Amino acid sequence: MDNLDKPIANEVVENKTKQAVQAAQEILTSDSKDLRSHLNKDIVMNALSCQNLDILDLKMIDRVMAEFQHAARIFKPYRSVRKVSIFGSARIAENNPYYELAVKFGRVMAAKKFMTITGAADGIMRAGIEGASRKTVSALIFFFHRNKLRLR
């Protein structure tokens, strides 16, 4: 980024900051007694109470909030759909009896109209996806030693 870009970038940040401050003021000064207003006020107050936390704690809280917000948006259209999560060992081989059991479990849940949610890894989670067929959501989980994503 050269010097010509910096004033524009700063202006964008300043505008976003002004908008955030205005939104926070509206939330905190609202007299509304409905549940949404109460929860929004709690969220802002919780954010403000984080100021003295360690930087790593702040990073974790920021990441968790972003992921929860993302999950809420992704799953909103499926609110009325029952869901089951399958998280298990990624090290279970396809010839393991537990693998076949997880495939059968995925089939049964899909037949009962459950959406299957897995960790998108191998082993038990792959078996659950396989059994459920295309009625799955895979939430990528991170392994330090490997990272694979399976979507079907």
Side-chain angles (χ1 to χ4, degrees):
M1 173 163 53
D2 61 26
N3 287 335
L4 294 176
D5 292 334
K6 288 183 182 178
I8 295 171
N10 289 340
E11 186 177 314
V12 170
V13 170
E14 286 175 18
N15 285 337
K16 286 185 177 185
T17 300
K18 286 177 185 176
Q19 290 173 352
V21 168
Q22 182 179 354
Q25 284 176 332
E26 289 173 13
I27 289 168
L28 293 173
T29 59
S30 170
D31 291 334
S32 185
K33 302 291 184 205
D34 65 285
L35 182 57
R36 178 183 300 277
S37 296
H38 174 76
L39 293 172
N40 280 330
K41 193 175 287 189
D42 277 354
I43 290 168
V44 172
M45 294 301 290
N46 282 326
L48 294 172
S49 69
C50 291
Q51 293 179 45
N52 295 323
L53 293 177
D54 292 339
I55 194 73
L56 290 177
D57 292 330
L58 289 172
K59 286 173 117 177
M60 181 181 63
I61 290 168
D62 180 54
R63 180 65 184 240
V64 167
M65 287 292 293
E67 288 186 16
F68 270 113
Q69 185 182 29
H70 178 71
R73 275 195 316 271
I74 295 298
F75 284 104
K76 188 174 184 176
Y78 308 103
R79 252 203 185 131
S80 63
V81 179
R82 297 180 304 170
K83 299 161 194 73
V84 63
S85 296
I86 301 175
F87 287 84
S89 177
R91 294 177 184 89
I92 298 295
E94 290 184 30
N95 62 353
N96 188 301
Y98 291 120
Y99 187 95
E100 186 55 37
L101 186 62
V103 169
K104 289 178 183 176
F105 179 75
R107 280 191 200 120
V108 169
M109 291 294 98
K112 294 188 178 284
K113 307 290 188 224
F114 277 80
M115 174 186 284
T116 301
I117 303 168
T118 74
D122 288 328
I124 296 295
M125 293 171 277
R126 180 177 180 189
I129 293 170
E130 183 180 319
S133 183
R134 297 193 180 276
K135 301 166 189 76
T136 66
V137 172
S138 296
L140 180 62
I141 61 173
F142 292 97
F143 292 105
F144 291 110
H145 60 285
R146 63 191 158 122
N147 237 347
K148 292 183 181 178
L149 174 63
R150 295 214 187 275
L151 297 175
R152 290 191 182 188

